[in-house]
């Protein structure tokens, strides 16, 4: 191998990826210009590089797929747009079609510029994401034909096993799990496992492919595109959902942190701080930690894995609920609470103590300001100060600011802004209260509605209008979305804390002091302030397509699909979307006469009892409700594939529900709610995947093993993340009349679907329907900036397509004004 070639390969990879690598001694010896290096020298050199650098970077491929793209390590300038598809590319396209994908023209030509090995690696990544190699066999073979099992079958089987089964003279079959199935009960030839205990004996090594009637187009992502995604996630002005957090966490390990990164969200900053600490660069995290609350947030994130600060007592109480079981002998709630207390015990080494002491000592706040900031979490701070030995470090030279902070904190030699507001509000001193609220616009926004009811709409809104333009646009948007619900005494309001317990909120009792006309006027006044402020912001924002010289106007294209997607404010999803990044509230049209729900869990886990349940609730027009679940496998318009309560080794297992729209129409069904929940102890299993399939053509069900999964037919799927705290999850609602599926995410804490709160589900659906859509927000931008709407993205100066909306961080950038 030529010396210059090898030197170039090694130096470039070393400079870009791993500057700490050293040349082997054999390589560093000087040789003549015509001398070559042996293959052994080459292996000695390249063997220092991690394998994933030599092969396709699977992390970048998987992140790109979330944005409906394929990552290729090429430059767009090098693409030959007149090339013909090579044989490996044709084979790759066939594999993509089997998974329900097609490619854009640009990506088609770009594929010719990469090797066949790269295409094979990308195919393997896509198969892994789509779960092609997992076990998709349910409990029942050919489950579209009901087995006829009933409660009597379970009762007879239970009795036969209690009395000794075959040894007692009963006729039947003893299964590998040890249970005896009497003759005349379950038709065993129809099952892949034990119908009595739900233990599978058979796994499937295949899935159906290519049945989809509609393919999802993939576009090209280069390194520049992923870096743009990376910077947009860092700069997001709204909190990141679970998918965005996971993508950012992976990209942080692939790309260096930009020197000019503008990180505005505290939760995003915690991901960056954690990485810097892992890399031994804790000093660089100091500018990101501006208040004691930021430091506490990081410490709690490091301890619990949650970027929100959840009180210890809340985590303990939630653990007790998660491990509660309706059958007392299996109730482990008390043990779980005790275990959580042990888990939350604080213990830090000297290095961590010194790191936190330096962060607090470097805070740009005065001691009084810092102590006031610590006051809302005073109990947690007392524990942290002791565990981190901050009193000891405060006595060291150079830690004078930390010493002063602790002195003020323990002596409580400070006043709190919130205390002053509460005192003025209790005294009904409107002028004093509003003057204090104007000092902190964000907190003013959060108590705006309550203040309007207490002090009068006109006076409060006049004060609020003075500081409205200082607020983040996302807060103004949330006020506009919430006004209708808050001032309507008949609407159900819900709160969704991170613990997954959805609470219904009672209307503010002060609403009873106002008549309906006054309440409607309050809504109009709030919307007026919100819209006028947003208009001023858009008008002031720099736009590349502002009115041109000579009186001509810029143009804008708004994809019609964007009018069906609400702006995601206040509804962060806690699940990971590996094949798309749809925003909550997105509506998916149903093409055929069947919708197939699926759930797969147990991937990577050893064989064990792990009971997850897939269910649906069918709401009829007459108010009657039907449930399709493990206790009722068939009902009007729905069929269940059987209840599995144990998982096989490593490959997981699956459950399905088939919904027939013609049958639902005939029965006058209105809505079908999709749910999954953990019947076993604890929360939903990590890496559990739920979603639905849809195709204009009939989708097959195997008569031999019952497999009904086809990756090409998957319309939407979500994966439960490691930090999930919910026991149940509502993940979609089918509007039967409109033939649309609304993706939403509402956690609940119950073992069965019957305990999911219908009123809370309907309230969430109603809130999503009333939210401002992305299309409407873009229309406000167009009006404020005098842009003309056009019908084609090719003719527009600014084009906002559905693909653009797949990156929620890009949508959030509209609010960064």
């Amino acid at each position: 191998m030529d010396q210059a070639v090898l030197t170039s390969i090694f130096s470039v990879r070393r400079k870009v990826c791993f500057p700490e690598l050293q040349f082997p001694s054999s390589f560093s010896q000087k040789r003549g210009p015509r001398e070559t290096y042996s293959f052994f020298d080459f292996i000695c050199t390249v063997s220092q590089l991690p394998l994933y650098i030599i092969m396709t970077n699977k992390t970048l491929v998987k992140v790109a797929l979330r944005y409906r793209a394929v990552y290729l390590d090429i430059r767009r300038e090098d693409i030959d747009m007149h090339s013909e598809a090579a044989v490996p590319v044709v084979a790759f396209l066939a594999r993509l079609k089997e998974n329900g994908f097609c490619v854009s023209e640009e990506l088609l030509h770009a594929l010719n510029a990469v090797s066949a090995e790269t295409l094979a690696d990308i195919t393997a990544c896509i198969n892994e994401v789509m779960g092609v190699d997992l076990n998709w066999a349910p409990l029942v073979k050919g489950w579209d034909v009901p087995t006829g099992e009933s409660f009597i079958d379970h009762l007879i089987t239970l009795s036969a096993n209690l009395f000794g089964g075959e040894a007692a003279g009963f006729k039947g079959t003893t299964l590998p799990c040890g249970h005896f199935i009497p003759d005349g009960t379950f038709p065993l030839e129809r099952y892949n496992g034990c119908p009595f205990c739900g233990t599978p004996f058979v796994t499937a090594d295949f899935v159906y492919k290519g049945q989809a009637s509609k393919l999802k187009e993939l576009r090209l992502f280069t390194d520049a595109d992923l870096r743009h995604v990376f910077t947009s996630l860092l700069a997001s002005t709204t909190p990141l959902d679970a998918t965005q957090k996971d993508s950012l966490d992976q990209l942080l390990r692939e790309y260096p942190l930009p020197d000019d990164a503008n990180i505005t969200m505290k939760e995003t900053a915690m991901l960056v701080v954690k990485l810097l600490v892992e890399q031994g660069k804790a000093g660089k995290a100091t500018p990101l930690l501006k208040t004691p609350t930021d430091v506490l947030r990081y410490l709690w994130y490091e301890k619990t894995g949650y970027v929100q600060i959840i009180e210890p007592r809340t985590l303990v109480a939630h653990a007790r609920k998660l491990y509660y079981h309706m059958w007392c002998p299996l109730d482990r709630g008390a043990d779980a609470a005790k275990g959580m207390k042990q888990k939350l015990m604080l213990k830090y080494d000297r290095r961590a103590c010194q790191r936190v002491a330096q962060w607090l000592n470097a805070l740009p706040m005065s001691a009084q300001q810092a102590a006031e900031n610590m006051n809302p979490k005073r109990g947690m701070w007392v524990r942290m100060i002791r565990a981190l030995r901050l009193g000891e470090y405060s006595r060291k030279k150079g830690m004078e600011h930390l010493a002063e902070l602790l002195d003020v904190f323990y002596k409580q030699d400070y006043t709190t802004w919130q205390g002053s507001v509460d005192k003025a509000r209790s005294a009904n001193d409107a002028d004093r209260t509003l003057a204090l609220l104007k000092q902190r616009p964000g907190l003013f926004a959060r108590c705006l509605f309550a203040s309007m009811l207490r002090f009068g709409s006109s006076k409060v809104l006049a004060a609020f209008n003075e500081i409205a333009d200082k607020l983040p646009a996302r807060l103004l948007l949330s006020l506009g979305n919430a006004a209708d619900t808050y001032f309507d005494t008949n609407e159900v309001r819900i709160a969704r804390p991170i613990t997954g317990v959805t609470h219904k909120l009672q209307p503010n009792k002060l609403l009873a002091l106002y008549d309906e006309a006054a309440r409607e006027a309050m809504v109009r006044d709030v919307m007026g302030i919100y819209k006028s402020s947003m208009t001023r912001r858009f008008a002031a924002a720099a736009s590349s397509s502002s009115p041109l010289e000579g009186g001509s106007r810029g143009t804008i294209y708004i994809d019609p699909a964007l009018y069906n997607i609400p702006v995601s404010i206040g509804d962060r999803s806690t699940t990971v979307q590996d094949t798309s990044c749809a925003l909550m509230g997105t509506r998916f049209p149903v093409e055929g006469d069947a919708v197939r729900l699926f759930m797969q869990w147990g991937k990577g886990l050893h064989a064990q009892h792990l009971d997850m349940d897939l269910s649906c609730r069918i709401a009829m027009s007459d108010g009657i409700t039907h449930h399709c679940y493990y206790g009722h496998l068939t009902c009007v318009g729905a069929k269940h594939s059987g209840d599995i309560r144990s998982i096989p080794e490593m490959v997981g297992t699956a459950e399905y529900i088939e919904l027939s729209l013609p049958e639902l129409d005939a029965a006058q069904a209105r809505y079908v709610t999709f749910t999954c929940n953990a019947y076993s102890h604890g929360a939903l299993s990590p890496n559990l995947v739920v979603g639905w399939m849809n195709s204009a053509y009939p989708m097959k069900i195997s008569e031999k093993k019952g497999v009904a999964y086809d990756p090409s037919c998957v319309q939407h799927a979500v994966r439960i993340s490691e930090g999930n705290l919910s026991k149940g999850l509502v993940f979609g609602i089918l509007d039967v009349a409109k033939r649309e599926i609304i993706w939403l995410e509402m956690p609940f804490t119950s073992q069965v679907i019957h305990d999911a709160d219908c009123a809370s589900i309907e309230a969430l659906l109603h809130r999503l329907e009333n939210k401002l859509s992305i299309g409407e927000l873009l229309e406000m931008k167009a009006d404020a900036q005098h842009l003309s709407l056009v019908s084609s993205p090719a003719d527009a100066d600014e084009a906002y397509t559905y693909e653009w909306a797949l990156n929620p961080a890009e949508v959030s950038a509209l609010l960064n004004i």
Side-chain angles (χ1 to χ4, degrees), residues 756-775:
D757 190 351
C758 296
S760 296
I761 296 172
E762 292 178 0
L764 177 58
L765 178 61
H766 183 65
R767 187 172 74 177
L768 290 172
E769 289 175 343
N770 290 342
K771 274 194 168 188
L772 184 77
S773 71
I774 297 176

Side-chain angles (χ1 to χ4, degrees), residues 259-274:
D259 294 333
D260 58 346
N262 181 25
I263 303 174
T264 58
M265 292 304 304
K266 301 295 185 183
E267 297 174 12
T268 305
M270 295 306 105
L271 302 177
V272 178
V273 172
K274 183 179 180 181

Side-chain angles (χ1 to χ4, degrees), residues 366-536:
S366 67
Q368 286 72 23
Q369 290 173 329
E372 180 188 356
N373 185 267
M374 297 164 69
N375 189 71
K377 302 294 181 183
R378 184 176 181 86
M380 294 182 68
W381 268 115
V382 169
R383 293 180 60 211
M384 285 290 182
I385 290 171
R386 291 173 181 169
L388 291 164
R389 308 178 185 90
L390 295 183
E392 175 186 337
Y393 281 90
S394 67
R395 292 189 290 271
K396 293 187 176 183
K397 185 177 180 180
M399 293 289 182
E400 290 77 14
H401 186 53
L402 174 60
E404 183 184 5
L405 189 159
L406 295 181
D407 185 61
V408 172
F409 176 76
Y410 275 113
K411 290 181 178 179
Q412 299 189 37
D413 187 18
Y414 57 90
T415 58
T416 63
W417 175 88
Q418 187 62 53
S420 301
V421 172
D422 292 341
K423 182 178 179 180
R425 185 184 288 119
S426 298
N428 285 325
D429 187 346
D431 294 334
R432 174 63 176 165
T433 302
L434 295 177
L436 288 169
L437 289 175
K438 285 193 291 185
Q439 295 175 9
R440 301 190 180 183
L443 295 177
F444 194 174
R446 289 175 172 84
C447 66
L448 174 64
F449 297 159
S451 299
M452 290 170 61
L453 295 177
R454 179 176 290 274
F455 299 121
S457 174
S458 58
K459 188 170 189 176
V460 173
L461 288 179
F464 183 75
N465 197 33
E466 296 177 20
I467 53 89
D469 290 345
K470 299 178 182 179
L471 286 167
R474 61 185 177 87
L475 273 183
L476 281 177
L477 187 59
S478 64
L479 289 175
N481 288 332
D484 279 328
T485 303
Y486 188 92
F487 292 104
D488 189 340
T489 56
N490 298 319
E491 284 287 348
V492 176
R493 294 189 297 135
I494 59 174
R496 295 181 54 208
I498 189 175
T499 51
V501 184
T502 302
H503 299 282
K504 287 189 295 184
L505 303 179
Q506 296 299 321
N508 191 319
K509 61 183 180 181
L510 295 182
L511 286 171
L513 300 177
Y514 299 87
D515 58 21
E516 185 176 354
R519 294 196 299 268
E520 291 178 352
M522 289 182 182
V523 174
R524 289 195 300 271
D525 292 341
V526 171
M527 296 299 292
I529 288 181
Y530 148 67
K531 290 183 177 179
S532 61
S533 179
M534 293 298 295
T535 299
R536 289 195 299 269

Side-chain angles (χ1 to χ4, degrees), residues 145 178 191 242 245 312 320-321 326 337-338 401 408 455 469 494 599 601 669 779 781 789 795 798:
V145 178
Y191 291 89
K245 289 176 186 174
R320 184 180 291 109
K321 290 181 181 179
M326 62 178 66
K338 185 177 179 181
H401 186 53
V408 172
F455 299 121
D469 290 345
I494 59 174
M599 178 176 70
W601 77 101
E779 276 195 1
K781 170 183 168 68
L789 292 173
D795 300 331
E798 296 184 29

